[in-house]
Amino acid sequence: MPDQSAYAAAGVDIHAGDRAVELMKSWVAKTRRPEVLGGIGGFAGLFDASRLAQLDHPVLATSTDGVGTKVAIAQAMDVHDTIGFDLVGMVVDDLVVCGAEPLFMTDYIACGRVVPERIAEIVKGIAEACAEAGCALLGGETAEHPGLLEPGEYDIAGAATGVVERDRILGLERVESGDAVLAMESSGLHSNGYSLVRHVLKTAGWSLDREVPELGRSIGEELLTPTRIYSRDCLALIDEVEVHAMSHITGGGLANNLARVIPGSAEVRIDRTSWQPAPIFGLLGRLGGVTRADLEATFNMGVGMVAVLPPEAVDAASRVLAGRGLRAWVCGSVAPAGSGTRERVSLFG
C-alpha cells in the first residue's frame, strides 16, 4: 500500500475520512425529506423537483454563508455540536426573508486533520439544525488541509436552495408608509461580530472559562449560544398574516440590514426603548470600551429577524409567533422619506 502510505505521510488520512462519513450518516438521515433520492456517499445529492410543478410560478432562491470566527470559540472550548446551528441559521434565514421555503442544503468542512468523531459532531449540529429548519442536508464535503490549517483547526461553510411563488416574493417593493416594524428576539450574538468579541476578551485578559455572574454561566458558554433558526417561524407568519418584507439581522446590525428592504421613498425610525438587549451586549460594550454606535453597527443587539407588515396585522402576527415560543414586539414604523430622519433607518431613544 505505498500510495496510501505516501498520502498519509503527507498528512491526509483517507480512512479517517471514511470513518467520519459512517459516523455522520445517521444524523444526515434525520433531515431526509420525501423529495430526497438516494443517500450520502454519491458524487452529487439528488432532489426530486417534480413537486415544483405543483406551483403556479416557482422561483428558486439560493444563499451561501459561513460562521466566521465563532468557530475559534468552538475549537477553544472543544464543543463542536452547536456550531452547525450557526451555519444553518446564517444560510436558511437569508432565504426565508424573501418568502422562500428552504428545500435542501449542502455543507463544506475544511480541517487540518480529520478526527472522525469531531467531524461527526459538527455534522450532527448541522443536521439537527436542518431538521429544525425543515430542509434536507443533501450532501457535503470534508477536506483535509494539512500544512494550511493546524490539526485542531477547521472552518465550515454551506449553501441552501429554496423555492417561493413569484407573486409571493417579499421585498421592498411591497413596503408601504405606515407599515409596522415587528422585531423578533435573537438567542444572543448569533454568528456575527466575533472578531470584535475575541479582541475585547484578549485585551481584557478574560479566558473563556471565566464565570460571569450576570450571565449565569461562563463567557465561553454564552458565546457558543446557537443561532436561532427562524425559517419555520417566518413561514408560519407569512401563511397566517400579510407580510411585506423581512430582514435577517446579521453582520452590520439592525439599521444596516433593515435598510436593505426599505425603498428609497420611505424611512424607518427604530425605538431603542421598546426592548432591552440581553446582558452580553452591554457586557462587551463595557469590557471593551465599545461605543453604542459600534455595538449597533456590529451586533444584532437582541433582534435576530424583523418583519415589515401592515399595522392591522401586528396583533395576529404577535399571536402566531408567541404560539411558536418566539417573543416579538413593535420596534418602529415606516414613514415617507424626509419626515425627520437623516438615514434610511435610524435609531432613537
Side-chain angles (χ1 to χ4, degrees), residues 140-188:
E141 171 70 7
T142 300
E144 199 167 27
H145 292 167
L148 183 62
L149 295 171
E150 294 298 319
E153 291 181 337
Y154 61 81
D155 196 11
I156 60 176
T161 298
V163 66
V164 58
E165 286 276 17
R166 181 166 182 171
D167 62 5
R168 298 194 68 186
I169 296 175
L170 304 181
L172 54 82
E173 299 83 3
R174 294 176 178 260
V175 174
E176 300 175 355
S177 178
D179 278 353
V181 180
L182 189 70
M184 302 178 213
E185 189 173 40
S186 71
S187 58

Side-chain angles (χ1 to χ4, degrees), residues 21 31 36 39 44 68 101 104 140 143 161 172 190-191 194 209 228 262 279 303 327:
V21 171
T31 74
V36 175
E101 173 195 357
F104 56 83
T161 298
L172 54 82
H190 286 181
S191 301
Y194 276 76
D209 60 0
R228 170 137 195 163
I262 302 300
V303 179
R327 178 173 171 257

Side-chain angles (χ1 to χ4, degrees), residues 121-153:
E121 285 291 288
I122 297 170
V123 174
K124 171 189 174 185
I126 297 173
E128 288 181 330
C130 281
E132 186 170 313
C135 69
L137 182 54
L138 198 57
E141 171 70 7
T142 300
E144 199 167 27
H145 292 167
L148 183 62
L149 295 171
E150 294 298 319
E153 291 181 337

Side-chain angles (χ1 to χ4, degrees), residues 84-85 88-89 92-93 129-130 132-133 227-233:
F85 278 81
V88 174
V92 301
D93 287 334
C130 281
E132 186 170 313
T227 298
R228 170 137 195 163
I229 303 209
Y230 296 93
S231 56
R232 280 184 163 167
D233 302 319

Side-chain angles (χ1 to χ4, degrees), residues 65-297:
D65 209 337
V67 174
T69 58
K70 188 171 183 175
V71 295
I73 307 296
Q75 291 161 25
M77 296 188 67
D78 196 24
V79 175
H80 312 286
D81 63 347
T82 61
I83 201 75
F85 278 81
D86 301 294
L87 177 63
V88 174
M90 290 299 98
V91 175
V92 301
D93 287 334
D94 275 359
L95 293 179
V96 78
V97 297
C98 68
E101 173 195 357
L103 298 175
F104 56 83
M105 181 166 178
T106 56
D107 63 34
Y108 176 80
I109 304 171
C111 59
R113 179 168 62 90
V114 170
V115 178
E117 292 75 16
R118 183 170 60 204
I119 298 299
E121 285 291 288
I122 297 170
V123 174
K124 171 189 174 185
I126 297 173
E128 288 181 330
C130 281
E132 186 170 313
C135 69
L137 182 54
L138 198 57
E141 171 70 7
T142 300
E144 199 167 27
H145 292 167
L148 183 62
L149 295 171
E150 294 298 319
E153 291 181 337
Y154 61 81
D155 196 11
I156 60 176
T161 298
V163 66
V164 58
E165 286 276 17
R166 181 166 182 171
D167 62 5
R168 298 194 68 186
I169 296 175
L170 304 181
L172 54 82
E173 299 83 3
R174 294 176 178 260
V175 174
E176 300 175 355
S177 178
D179 278 353
V181 180
L182 189 70
M184 302 178 213
E185 189 173 40
S186 71
S187 58
L189 294 171
H190 286 181
S191 301
N192 302 107
Y194 276 76
S195 293
L196 175 57
V197 170
R198 292 166 58 238
H199 174 73
V200 167
L201 294 185
K202 182 178 180 180
T203 302
W206 278 33
S207 63
L208 292 175
D209 60 0
R210 182 180 181 123
E211 294 293 328
V212 184
E214 67 181 295
L215 301 178
R217 53 182 169 175
S218 73
I219 185 67
E221 290 171 323
E222 177 71 23
L223 296 180
L224 274 190
T225 302
T227 298
R228 170 137 195 163
I229 303 209
Y230 296 93
S231 56
R232 280 184 163 167
D233 302 319
C234 290
L235 291 174
L237 184 64
I238 295 167
D239 284 342
E240 293 290 332
V241 303
E242 180 181 352
V243 177
H244 292 159
M246 286 185 173
S247 178
H248 187 196
I249 311 305
T250 55
L254 176 56
N256 288 330
N257 282 286
L258 181 55
R260 297 164 68 179
V261 296
I262 302 300
S265 60
E267 58 190 33
V268 174
R269 297 193 75 200
I270 300 296
D271 183 0
R272 295 187 184 97
T273 68
S274 64
W275 82 97
Q276 181 64 45
I280 183 61
F281 299 103
L283 172 66
L284 290 170
R286 295 191 305 273
L287 188 63
V290 185
T291 66
R292 183 169 70 175
D294 278 342
L295 288 173
E296 291 177 345

Side-chain angles (χ1 to χ4, degrees), residues 292-340:
R292 183 169 70 175
D294 278 342
L295 288 173
E296 291 177 345
T298 305
F299 303 118
N300 65 57
M301 299 303 290
V303 179
M305 183 72 75
V306 164
V308 182
L309 68 177
E312 61 270 19
V314 166
D315 288 345
S318 298
R319 286 194 298 271
V320 169
L321 296 174
R324 301 182 62 84
L326 178 55
R327 178 173 171 257
W329 65 94
V330 173
C331 68
S333 61
V334 179
S339 61

